[in-house]
Amino acid sequence: PSHASGTLGRRDDQQAAQHQNKSAARRPTSIERAAGRGLPESIMLATALRKVRGTPAVAAIATRALSSHARDTNTYIQQALAELKLPERFEKMLVTPRRELCVQLTILNDRDEVQTFEAYRVQHDNARGPYKGGIRYHAECDLDDVRSLASLMTWKTAVMDIPFGGAKGGVTVDPSTLSEMEKERLTRKLVHSFRGVVGPHTDIPAPDMNTGAKEMAWFFDEYSKYMGFSPGVVTGKPIDLHGSLGREAATGRGVFFALRNLLEADGAGGVEGKSFVVQGFGNVGSWAARLIAENGGKVVGVSDVDGALHNPGGLDVEALAEHIQSGSSSVDFKENGTVVVPGQEIFEMECDMFIPAALGAVIDAEIAGKMQCKYIVEAANGPTRPEGDEILNNRGIKILPDIYANGGGVTVSYMEWVQNMQEFKWSEAEVNQKLEDKMTSAFEQIWDIHQKKGVTMRTAAFMLAIEKVLASRQLRGFC
């Protein structure tokens, strides 16, 4: 006991000294760092308030001050229900998740220290088939975010007419602070905690923000240790480990099909000659930008975590993608006519079409009033707040909503799952053609409701999805 007491005492002294050193050389605050990256005030506030949530007195204030992603999604559902003139009793049933799981994941890090992380899995609705939704690793991930994204997955799978329901998962962690081995331990511990509620016929996870094929390979391997060979338990796996050809580019390719369908249906012609701005140059944004450029479109602006680039004559998208993939910063990209601008200016660049492909809740009322585009295609999940949505609609800016626009990822995930269950593999051309057919069919249904009912495309998409989910619930006796 005396030895243990002495050890603890020395640790306390060390921690106090470390704290003094940190205080002496003050680092920028969360708001200062966010402002430096040009992020909207809503995100800056969220970043700062989450740092103080551990204090009970402040937690209540923080919760009230922060925008609720789940509340935003429910607002859009209420708008669609009002148009459908359905009884109010359906609202609670449609917005309430069937199951919410919160667990603590404890791992031993590379320094032989114990670390604990919060993890969530929300299963929103399975009336149309097994739950389906990604798993994200992000420092700002919380239950409200996951709840909102699970709901969006329910409506997305319904709009895309694939036999899945909606779910989402997440771990509150900054993955950049973890080594490769620590991420693997964390992923396998996640499987250990969730293995009783996921499965090929129950709930099929997939990659999301800061997760990818590698994490899905670990997930598949760990689950198979408990339940036997089960490649269909997750999608987004490596090609050489039962993944699907075409999956990596699927969401970005789906965004391209979506925006092309919109331009043609609205009488604006095709992609060729149009100008585009892409906010977020990760997997989805970069693939969408590549396909736009390949088809004659001009990408005049892009942004990522490092900053924003602007070139009125059009960026060399392929060269920029190669530059970033080499490990270089986007703001170090050198090209004639390309200039680095503050991140916030990405929202004010003049263009035909703006594509938000990063975080949610970035287009609030303030941003919506400054945007200089004719169309918005939501490649990200929940990028537009309801108050921003209203302003954009009043300004005549047409918005193609996320539950359709970024549906390419879950559509090809479904194709991967089908191939796994059949133990059969399709060619990339087959996958891409099936994806195009799905994106076209879903758009035609949304556009038809939009035209006939005189509602926004967002409301039209939610109306289509709600009718499909309600029909399945009623047929199965859930109502």
Side-chain angles (χ1 to χ4, degrees):
S2 60
H3 173 72
S5 174
T7 302
L8 289 173
R10 286 194 298 275
R11 286 180 181 171
D12 288 342
D13 292 340
Q14 290 170 354
Q15 289 172 355
Q18 289 171 356
H19 179 72
Q20 276 188 331
N21 291 336
K22 288 180 181 177
S23 299
R26 189 184 73 82
R27 293 179 294 178
T29 66
S30 299
I31 287 186
E32 289 168 344
R33 290 196 301 273
R37 298 198 303 272
L39 299 179
E41 289 182 5
S42 57
I43 295 181
M44 291 159 55
L45 176 64
T47 303
L49 287 176
R50 279 191 173 102
K51 305 298 183 184
V52 296
R53 275 186 163 176
T55 307
V58 179
I61 300 172
T63 301
R64 287 194 299 271
L66 286 170
S67 65
S68 168
H69 292 174
R71 193 181 304 118
D72 288 355
T73 302
N74 292 345
T75 297
Y76 296 136
I77 293 171
Q78 289 164 358
Q79 292 170 353
L81 286 170
E83 292 292 336
L84 289 168
K85 296 180 173 56
L86 293 171
E88 289 185 8
R89 63 188 176 88
F90 285 124
E91 182 182 337
K92 184 175 182 180
M93 180 184 70
L94 290 170
V95 303
T96 305
R98 289 188 168 273
R99 177 186 286 155
E100 295 183 348
L101 298 176
C102 302
V103 299
Q104 302 292 320
L105 306 179
T106 301
I107 65 168
L108 197 64
N109 66 23
D110 293 343
R111 300 177 299 281
D112 287 333
E113 298 168 342
V114 173
Q115 282 186 275
T116 301
F117 305 92
E118 291 183 351
Y120 315 94
R121 187 71 178 172
V122 175
Q123 297 173 330
H124 181 261
D125 189 279
N126 66 345
R128 301 184 66 257
Y131 299 108
K132 185 79 181 80
I135 295 174
R136 59 177 48 191
Y137 290 173
H138 197 276
E140 303 297 328
C141 177
D142 61 22
L143 182 58
D144 182 73
D145 294 332
V146 175
R147 187 183 290 126
S148 171
L149 293 166
S151 176
L152 287 173
M153 285 301 298
T154 295
W155 316 122
K156 191 180 300 184
T157 55
V159 164
M160 299 309 301
D161 197 30
I162 54 179
F164 285 144
K168 208 72 173 185
V171 181
T172 307
V173 59
D174 179 357
S176 67
T177 65
L178 302 180
S179 70
E180 191 86 346
M181 287 300 297
E182 288 169 339
K183 279 192 281 190
E184 181 174 350
R185 292 184 201 118
L186 184 65
T187 302
R188 291 182 183 277
K189 183 57 69 78
L190 182 69
V191 179
H192 178 79
S193 297
F194 286 166
R195 73 183 190 275
V197 296
V198 301
H201 297 286
T202 308
D203 183 352
I204 305 106
D208 199 274
M209 191 178 293
N210 296 322
T211 58
K214 186 179 296 182
E215 286 78 12
M216 296 307 103
W218 295 332
F219 197 110
F220 154 62
D221 179 69
E222 188 70 13
Y223 183 87
S224 294
K225 288 179 182 178
Y226 293 107
M227 311 302 289
F229 179 69
S230 306
V233 69
V234 287
T235 55
K237 301 180 295 295
I239 299 298
D240 293 334
L241 198 67
H242 313 291
S244 175
L245 295 168
R247 176 62 184 86
E248 181 187 356
T251 308
R253 189 178 298 277
V255 169
F256 172 75
F257 290 145
L259 65 87
R260 186 187 65 184
N261 290 338
L262 173 59
L263 289 171
E264 292 175 353
D266 202 41
V271 172
E272 188 173 359
K274 302 295 188 304
S275 58
F276 300 81
V277 169
V278 182
Q279 183 249 342
F281 203 68
N283 174 271
V284 178
S286 62
W287 274 108
R290 280 188 180 108
L291 291 164
I292 288 167
E294 286 175 12
N295 287 270
K298 186 168 61 173
V299 179
V300 298
V302 300
S303 69
D304 63 9
V305 294
D306 292 330
L309 300 174
H310 186 218
N311 187 332
L315 289 152
D316 185 338
V317 174
E318 195 62 45
L320 175 60
E322 291 176 2
H323 172 82
I324 293 173
Q325 287 171 359
S326 71
S328 301
S329 170
S330 61
V331 297
D332 294 328
F333 181 64
K334 305 298 182 185
E335 181 186 26
N336 288 335
T338 298
V339 296
V340 178
V341 298
Q344 187 74 354
E345 289 188 13
I346 192 77
F347 296 99
E348 301 175 37
M349 288 183 189
E350 188 174 348
C351 60
D352 292 309
M353 183 173 287
F354 186 89
I355 303 173
L359 294 171
V362 294
I363 303 177
D364 55 19
E366 181 184 359
I367 294 295
K370 298 177 180 178
M371 298 186 76
Q372 301 183 62
C373 58
K374 300 171 185 174
Y375 304 94
I376 294 175
V377 175
E378 295 182 336
N381 285 312
T384 309
R385 302 288 323 279
E387 58 270 28
D389 187 67
E390 183 178 2
I391 290 170
L392 292 167
N393 289 327
N394 291 337
R395 293 182 61 201
I397 298 173
K398 295 192 173 182
I399 308 168
L400 200 54
D402 51 357
I403 61 171
Y404 163 69
N406 66 29
V410 71
T411 301
V412 176
S413 278
Y414 165 62
M415 296 179 197
E416 179 179 334
W417 178 78
V418 169
Q419 292 171 79
N420 290 159
M421 303 309 286
Q422 294 181 339
E423 298 183 354
F424 191 75
K425 205 168 189 70
W426 298 336
S427 70
E428 187 170 359
E430 287 179 288
V431 171
N432 291 341
Q433 185 58 57
K434 291 177 191 295
L435 171 60
E436 184 174 5
D437 292 344
K438 280 287 189 184
M439 296 300 296
T440 300
S441 174
F443 179 82
E444 288 173 349
Q445 294 176 71
I446 294 168
W447 188 257
D448 185 58
I449 296 171
H450 165 63
Q451 293 290 91
K452 288 181 178 178
K453 301 290 186 181
V455 297
T456 66
M457 284 184 284
R458 187 187 307 282
T459 298
F462 272 99
M463 289 169 68
L464 175 64
I466 288 169
E467 286 186 317
K468 288 184 178 183
V469 172
L470 275 179
S472 296
R473 281 201 167 198
Q474 289 171 324
L475 288 169
R476 295 182 67 169
F478 286 2
C479 303

